[in-house]
Amino acid sequence: MIKRSCLAKPLAGSLLLLTAIESPAFAASLISAPIFTEINQYSTLINDDPTDIYYPVVSNSNESTPIVLLLQGARVDKADYRNYARIVASYGFTVVIPNNQRTLSAPDLPSFSGLLPEQDQVNEVLEFMALENANSASPVAGLLDTNSLGLLGHSFGGAVGIASTQDNCFFALCTERYSLPKELKAGIFYGTNFDIANTGNIPPINNEVPIGLILGTLDGVTVPAKTIMTFDQLLNPPKVLIEVDGANHYGITNIDSPRDRVRPTLEQAIATETIGRWSGVFLRAHVLNDSDAWDYVYTSLGDEADGNVEVTGVPVPEPSVSVGIFLAGLLGTIARRNRNPKVPPQ
């Protein structure tokens, strides 16, 4: 596990040198600035759901962008994620945000209607965007990598996203059926947990793709402790937990909302940029196999460069660098032993 500069300081020089020799693609340069500066947006319907789509303007006609589905929070309109979606899109993704209207009902409980995402959307959006890519009249015709899908989610939508990384149709999060698409590469979610039944217990989560969880330390809607519990219950790394100091539940939206009674201490624009940047870089690491983005997320690089976050990462080292990591650890151990000979107990 990596927790704030977890690569031991005495080993850092040896580690970076050896990994660069073993695998030049794993060089320790970080990627934190957006890749694209111009983002366009258009609106359409996906299964009668009004949908906003944000996409980068690319200069190379051969360049393609993976599809990213943003699963909204309960009763949060798609337009409220405009700033966040544009930030994620600037890292090289086409971001799709449907307004999914449905009614949620359960035995002995009143029904709940409104904007509520569901697992069914994952495959529906993937199918629709494949058609868009082939439609010469579409603004994103030929732009999409239809074999690569990432997920974003906020609050209830984050729980739907976590469910969607498993090959299972979960009660209240799935309406009809769900099968994990092979195109799904990763998901990162804000202000959420996987306590579906609200019992205080988080079940083991057999995620089949990497997951990132981002929380605001002043979240008054989703208790941060539950997000941390959810992170601990993710069975399959890579996984990362990013804590944004001073953000509340609505740090991801364009403006703060009184639906969270706790006021943030981090400026809204900074909170949204922070959440969007870490979301975009995480997706680059796992959807685009970007080794610089991997370094930013899973070594101390991004953590130390961003004073507003604390990062806990559990990576799975690439086989090409495992030898380098082992040798670096061995050299560091030898160096420490030489500098610090054993002293008999007093």
Side-chain angles (χ1 to χ4, degrees):
M1 176 180 292
I2 291 177
K3 177 71 171 179
R4 297 195 68 87
S5 308
C6 302
L7 293 175
K9 297 292 185 184
L11 307 184
S14 299
L15 175 60
L16 296 182
L17 174 62
L18 286 167
T19 54
I21 293 171
E22 290 284 326
S23 175
F26 202 74
S29 60
L30 57 85
I31 172 174
S32 60
I35 310 300
F36 299 94
T37 57
E38 187 177 353
I39 306 300
N40 283 347
Q41 180 263 327
Y42 74 102
S43 298
T44 186
L45 292 175
I46 299 180
N47 285 355
D48 296 326
D49 290 340
T51 302
D52 290 340
I53 298 175
Y54 299 81
Y55 62 97
V57 177
V58 303
S59 57
N60 186 343
S61 60
N62 294 323
E63 201 159 6
S64 61
T65 64
I67 301 160
V68 173
L69 167 61
L70 197 166
L71 298 156
Q72 66 204 129
R75 293 181 173 174
V76 182
D77 188 85
K78 57 184 172 56
D80 292 328
Y81 299 106
R82 179 184 64 253
N83 295 342
Y84 172 70
R86 292 179 68 86
I87 293 167
V88 175
S90 73
Y91 284 87
F93 301 99
T94 293
V95 180
V96 183
I97 319 176
N99 263 356
N100 191 65
Q101 187 88 22
R102 69 179 176 120
T103 298
L104 182 62
S105 59
D108 303 321
L109 291 175
S111 60
F112 181 91
S113 296
L115 297 173
L116 290 166
E118 55 190 312
Q119 288 179 256
D120 312 48
Q121 291 177 262
V122 175
N123 286 294
E124 291 170 358
V125 165
L126 190 59
E127 292 171 6
F128 178 87
M129 295 306 290
L131 294 175
E132 283 288 274
N133 194 53
N135 178 7
S136 60
S138 168
V140 294
L143 175 67
L144 307 178
D145 174 5
T146 57
N147 293 314
S148 297
L149 173 69
L151 295 180
L152 305 167
H154 174 216
S155 194
F156 184 85
V160 173
I162 294 170
S164 300
T165 68
Q166 306 166 76
D167 195 20
N168 194 359
C169 186
F170 288 87
F171 173 74
L173 306 181
C174 180
T175 300
E176 294 182 3
R177 62 187 182 277
Y178 179 76
S179 59
L180 184 75
K182 67 181 186 304
E183 293 86 355
L184 181 59
K185 308 300 182 186
I188 184 164
F189 313 109
Y190 181 74
T192 194
N193 64 67
F194 205 58
D195 183 10
I196 303 174
N198 201 29
T199 62
N201 297 313
I202 310 292
I205 301 167
N206 188 26
N207 57 299
E208 296 192 31
V209 299
I211 286 182
L213 296 178
I214 311 178
L215 66 83
T217 60
L218 295 182
D219 194 322
V221 177
T222 298
V223 180
K226 277 194 177 182
T227 303
I228 295 170
M229 290 170 60
T230 300
F231 175 76
D232 290 338
Q233 289 293 77
L234 295 172
L235 298 180
N236 304 311
K239 62 180 181 177
V240 69
L241 174 70
I242 300 153
E243 302 175 56
V244 182
D245 188 31
N248 74 356
H249 193 66
Y250 292 95
I252 194 173
T253 52
N254 302 334
I255 59 174
D256 186 24
S257 171
R259 291 172 66 181
D260 188 338
R261 296 181 181 180
V262 181
R263 298 280 62 76
T265 57
L266 186 64
E267 185 181 335
Q268 189 74 14
I270 296 175
T272 306
E273 187 281 329
T274 301
I275 298 162
R277 168 167 36 89
W278 280 95
S279 297
V281 175
F282 177 87
L283 290 177
R284 285 196 67 87
H286 293 292
V287 178
L288 291 171
N289 297 316
D290 186 321
S291 58
D292 292 339
W294 177 285
D295 283 355
Y296 188 85
V297 173
Y298 290 108
T299 74
S300 61
L301 293 176
D303 193 356
E304 291 182 347
D306 190 339
N308 293 318
V309 304
E310 183 168 336
V311 181
T312 303
V314 182
V316 174
E318 298 176 4
S320 59
V321 301
S322 59
V323 174
I325 292 173
F326 171 77
L327 290 175
L330 179 60
L331 290 175
T333 301
I334 293 171
R336 288 195 300 273
R337 286 180 178 174
N338 288 338
R339 288 195 304 268
N340 302 304
K342 289 186 178 179
V343 177
Q346 300 296 317

